[in-house]
Amino acid sequence: MTKKEDEFQAKIDRDIKIEPKDWMPDAYRKTLVRQISQHAHSEIVGMLPEGNWITRAPSLRRKVALLAKVQDEAGHGLYLYSAVETLGTDREQTIDDMHSGKAKYSSIFNYPTLSWADMGAVGWLVDGAAIVNQVALQRTSYGPYSRAMVKICKEESFHQRQGYELLIHMCNGTKEQKEMAQDALNRFWWPSLMMFGPSDKDSPNTVQSMAWKVKRYTNDDLRQQFIDMTVPQANFLGLTIPDPDLKLNKETGHYEFGEIDWDEFFNVVNGNGPCNKERVSARANSKKNGLWVIEAANAYAEKQRIKKKVA
Amino acid sequence: MTNGNWPLWEVFIRSRQGLNHKHVGSLRASDEEMAIENARDVYTRRSEGISIWVVLSSNVHASNPTEKGPMFDPAEDKVYRHPTFYDIPDEIGHM
């Protein structure tokens, strides 16, 4: 290691945050750009499966909650794109990398939201899993990323609560409503577990990311934490988690669970999930069809500047 | 302007009367009016502020982190700038 690298690692070891203009190894910068941009894309693409249900929310109460949640996701995308930008990247290039397939987003958003109960399952499980991940990332070593996480965590806890509340109502409703809730859990359970990423033994970046404190816990640790938290919540709803191998190990206090279908995970990550094409094309078209707004606003701003100069 | 970029703005929010404006983040907007409106929508959705400043990021000038030592170390050995450096007898009480 060079002297600069030594000093950098010494800072990390002393839990001193790294700020944008500080010296950092290229590989650290690259890891952050990959991870934060992937996180940003997930926030933005995550608006699509829920936006799908805004006009069909069953009451005004549910509708304002869903609207507020989707609006939050847009804000969260912005905080994260801003954080990526502090690393010297071009924001629009970052966005284009997602449209071209070069950059990924969370594979969970490649699953469709088929019924209203899915809005409950997404809030409870998908946001629940995201929160476990993001609470841990509040202590990540890169300052702007850490600050974005603090802000996002503050805003996000209502996301999970509104989803769980919605499911409580459905589970206390008619037989059909409860079946819808169970069906949503059946479809979202395994993809939610996959949100934490591949198992530690198949996650080649984990060791370095932990040494740099970009990540504070491994994928498997966070996944276990989520399962331990969520099983009692499913029991309260009277729903069954679709895993026959799930059982509490009384000695460790942790739930043991069945094998995750990693073939499915990598298949979806590689673009072959049920909605990959739809999601990416929705985002790419949104940019393409909105470019004229950006240009028009620039032209208007320029005109105003000239007017002010003349006046 | 290539690929649809708007200029970058830094956003400062006064959370309540009596406190200073504090940097909360950044955003892109075509002009100051849009920057303030967007900052309102993004950074004050839960009553976080009562006043917003926006500054073009290109107008922010910063000290150089690699010169942190020469810049800030001189303050470190000047303990006589702090009240605890001076001995005041206990019977005087708080001073």
Side-chain angles (χ1 to χ4, degrees), chain A residues 59-98:
Chain A
S59 69
L60 188 56
R61 186 173 192 275
R62 296 288 172 218
K63 190 171 184 163
V64 291
L66 196 54
L67 264 173
K69 180 177 190 301
V70 171
Q71 193 184 13
D72 275 348
E73 312 296 4
H76 298 173
L78 173 79
Y79 308 154
L80 289 161
Y81 281 126
S82 296
V84 186
E85 221 169 344
T86 63
L87 292 158
T89 57
D90 178 86
R91 181 176 302 191
E92 293 303 320
Q93 185 59 51
T94 304
I95 291 169
D96 291 345
D97 284 346
M98 193 257 285

Side-chain angles (χ1 to χ4, degrees), chain A residues 26-162:
Chain A
D26 286 342
Y28 176 82
R29 187 183 301 271
K30 236 172 117 182
T31 297
L32 284 173
V33 168
R34 182 173 48 82
Q35 184 171 330
I36 306 173
S37 69
Q38 197 168 313
H39 201 153
H41 302 326
S42 302
E43 298 284 354
I44 298 300
V45 177
M47 295 160 77
L48 297 170
E50 292 187 296
N52 179 33
W53 280 93
I54 290 174
T55 56
R56 289 174 287 169
S59 69
L60 188 56
R61 186 173 192 275
R62 296 288 172 218
K63 190 171 184 163
V64 291
L66 196 54
L67 264 173
K69 180 177 190 301
V70 171
Q71 193 184 13
D72 275 348
E73 312 296 4
H76 298 173
L78 173 79
Y79 308 154
L80 289 161
Y81 281 126
S82 296
V84 186
E85 221 169 344
T86 63
L87 292 158
T89 57
D90 178 86
R91 181 176 302 191
E92 293 303 320
Q93 185 59 51
T94 304
I95 291 169
D96 291 345
D97 284 346
M98 193 257 285
H99 300 166
S100 72
K102 195 179 149 202
K104 307 284 183 212
Y105 53 88
S106 181
S107 59
I108 191 84
F109 302 117
N110 290 315
Y111 293 86
T113 44
L114 302 176
S115 84
W116 174 251
D118 288 10
M119 292 303 94
V122 167
W124 172 37
L125 300 172
V126 177
D127 287 270
I131 289 169
V132 167
N133 187 34
Q134 290 170 164
V135 165
L137 284 171
Q138 289 183 103
R139 289 172 54 241
T140 191
S141 58
Y142 187 56
Y145 192 25
S146 157
R147 292 191 284 274
M149 285 299 112
V150 170
K151 207 161 155 39
I152 287 174
C153 285
K154 230 187 256 170
E155 299 184 351
E156 196 135 288
S157 83
F158 110 77
H159 295 184
Q160 192 186 17
R161 289 172 66 108
Q162 64 86 34

Side-chain angles (χ1 to χ4, degrees), chain A residues 21-22 72 78-79 82 85 90 92 96 151 155 158 287 294 297-298 301 308, chain B residues 1 3-6 8 26-28 30-32 34 42-43 45-46 48 65:
Chain A
K21 298 272 160 64
D22 294 347
D72 275 348
L78 173 79
Y79 308 154
S82 296
E85 221 169 344
D90 178 86
E92 293 303 320
D96 291 345
K151 207 161 155 39
E155 299 184 351
F158 110 77
K287 174 162 175 176
I294 294 185
N298 275 335
K308 259 188 210 158
Chain B
M1 210 69 58
N3 198 13
N5 266 339
W6 280 329
L8 190 64
S26 59
L27 52 78
R28 286 184 175 272
S30 59
D31 61 15
E32 57 274 19
M34 187 196 281
V42 182
Y43 291 106
R45 282 199 305 282
R46 290 177 176 80
E48 290 95 336

Side-chain angles (χ1 to χ4, degrees), chain B residues 15-80:
Chain B
S15 57
R16 59 188 163 85
Q17 212 70 13
L19 295 180
N20 48 5
H21 287 76
K22 198 177 155 206
H23 184 244
V24 293
S26 59
L27 52 78
R28 286 184 175 272
S30 59
D31 61 15
E32 57 274 19
E33 198 185 331
M34 187 196 281
I36 289 174
E37 281 166 6
N38 288 357
R40 194 270 315 262
D41 289 346
V42 182
Y43 291 106
T44 65
R45 282 199 305 282
R46 290 177 176 80
S47 315
E48 290 95 336
I50 51 147
S51 165
I52 298 173
W53 286 351
V54 293
V55 179
L56 267 178
S57 305
S58 57
N59 285 343
V60 174
H61 303 274
S63 61
N64 186 345
T66 58
E67 285 162 19
K68 210 185 279 170
M71 190 85 167
F72 301 109
D73 285 355
E76 260 167 34
D77 58 1
K78 297 182 176 54
V79 283
Y80 47 85

Side-chain angles (χ1 to χ4, degrees), chain A:
Chain A
M1 274 208 280
T2 65
K3 186 163 169 276
K4 271 185 172 170
E5 280 169 331
D6 278 339
E7 283 169 5
F8 174 82
Q9 189 61 49
K11 262 164 93 177
I12 300 259
D13 294 342
R14 293 199 330 268
D15 276 327
I16 294 176
K17 297 270 190 247
I18 307 302
E19 294 295 344
K21 298 272 160 64
D22 294 347
W23 185 88
M24 61 186 85
D26 286 342
Y28 176 82
R29 187 183 301 271
K30 236 172 117 182
T31 297
L32 284 173
V33 168
R34 182 173 48 82
Q35 184 171 330
I36 306 173
S37 69
Q38 197 168 313
H39 201 153
H41 302 326
S42 302
E43 298 284 354
I44 298 300
V45 177
M47 295 160 77
L48 297 170
E50 292 187 296
N52 179 33
W53 280 93
I54 290 174
T55 56
R56 289 174 287 169
S59 69
L60 188 56
R61 186 173 192 275
R62 296 288 172 218
K63 190 171 184 163
V64 291
L66 196 54
L67 264 173
K69 180 177 190 301
V70 171
Q71 193 184 13
D72 275 348
E73 312 296 4
H76 298 173
L78 173 79
Y79 308 154
L80 289 161
Y81 281 126
S82 296
V84 186
E85 221 169 344
T86 63
L87 292 158
T89 57
D90 178 86
R91 181 176 302 191
E92 293 303 320
Q93 185 59 51
T94 304
I95 291 169
D96 291 345
D97 284 346
M98 193 257 285
H99 300 166
S100 72
K102 195 179 149 202
K104 307 284 183 212
Y105 53 88
S106 181
S107 59
I108 191 84
F109 302 117
N110 290 315
Y111 293 86
T113 44
L114 302 176
S115 84
W116 174 251
D118 288 10
M119 292 303 94
V122 167
W124 172 37
L125 300 172
V126 177
D127 287 270
I131 289 169
V132 167
N133 187 34
Q134 290 170 164
V135 165
L137 284 171
Q138 289 183 103
R139 289 172 54 241
T140 191
S141 58
Y142 187 56
Y145 192 25
S146 157
R147 292 191 284 274
M149 285 299 112
V150 170
K151 207 161 155 39
I152 287 174
C153 285
K154 230 187 256 170
E155 299 184 351
E156 196 135 288
S157 83
F158 110 77
H159 295 184
Q160 192 186 17
R161 289 172 66 108
Q162 64 86 34
Y164 193 67
E165 187 205 69
L166 187 166
L167 286 176
I168 292 176
H169 281 246
M170 289 193 83
C171 290
N172 290 328
T174 63
K175 187 169 156 280
E176 286 80 5
Q177 284 175 314
K178 187 155 185 188
E179 279 168 8
M180 279 166 74
Q182 180 64 55
D183 175 59
L185 172 58
N186 292 349
R187 283 179 290 107
F188 276 95
W189 175 253
W190 291 104
S192 299
L193 298 191
M194 295 176 196
M195 282 177 69
F196 296 96
S199 180
D200 295 348
K201 61 180 184 343
D202 298 315
S203 177
N205 301 324
T206 294
V207 174
Q208 182 60 74
S209 286
M210 297 279 287
W212 279 333
K213 296 185 183 172
V214 171
K215 274 188 178 179
R216 304 303 305 243
Y217 298 94
T218 69
N219 296 352
D220 286 336
D221 284 347
L222 293 171
R223 188 166 14 244
Q224 185 67 53
Q225 199 187 322
F226 172 71
I227 292 170
D228 291 343
M229 238 173 59
T230 309
V231 175
Q233 296 166 354
N235 294 340
F236 181 85
L237 292 172
L239 298 178
T240 309
I241 289 179
D243 178 0
D245 297 325
L246 187 77
K247 63 170 196 294
L248 183 65
N249 181 329
K250 289 230 168 73
E251 270 169 40
T252 61
H254 294 298
Y255 282 90
E256 292 169 0
F257 54 100
E259 185 66 30
I260 292 173
D261 183 354
W262 293 114
D263 289 341
E264 175 183 330
F265 172 76
F266 286 110
N267 195 38
V268 177
V269 168
N270 290 326
N272 304 315
C275 300
N276 294 57
K277 288 191 182 67
E278 189 185 328
R279 302 292 187 233
V280 173
S281 76
R283 291 311 313 150
N285 285 336
S286 161
K287 174 162 175 176
K288 202 174 82 198
N289 299 333
L291 266 181
W292 70 272
V293 178
I294 294 185
E295 281 160 18
N298 275 335
Y300 174 79
E302 187 54 32
K303 232 179 174 174
Q304 294 302 309
R305 260 192 297 274
I306 293 167
K307 252 193 198 165
K308 259 188 210 158
K309 252 192 222 158
V310 175

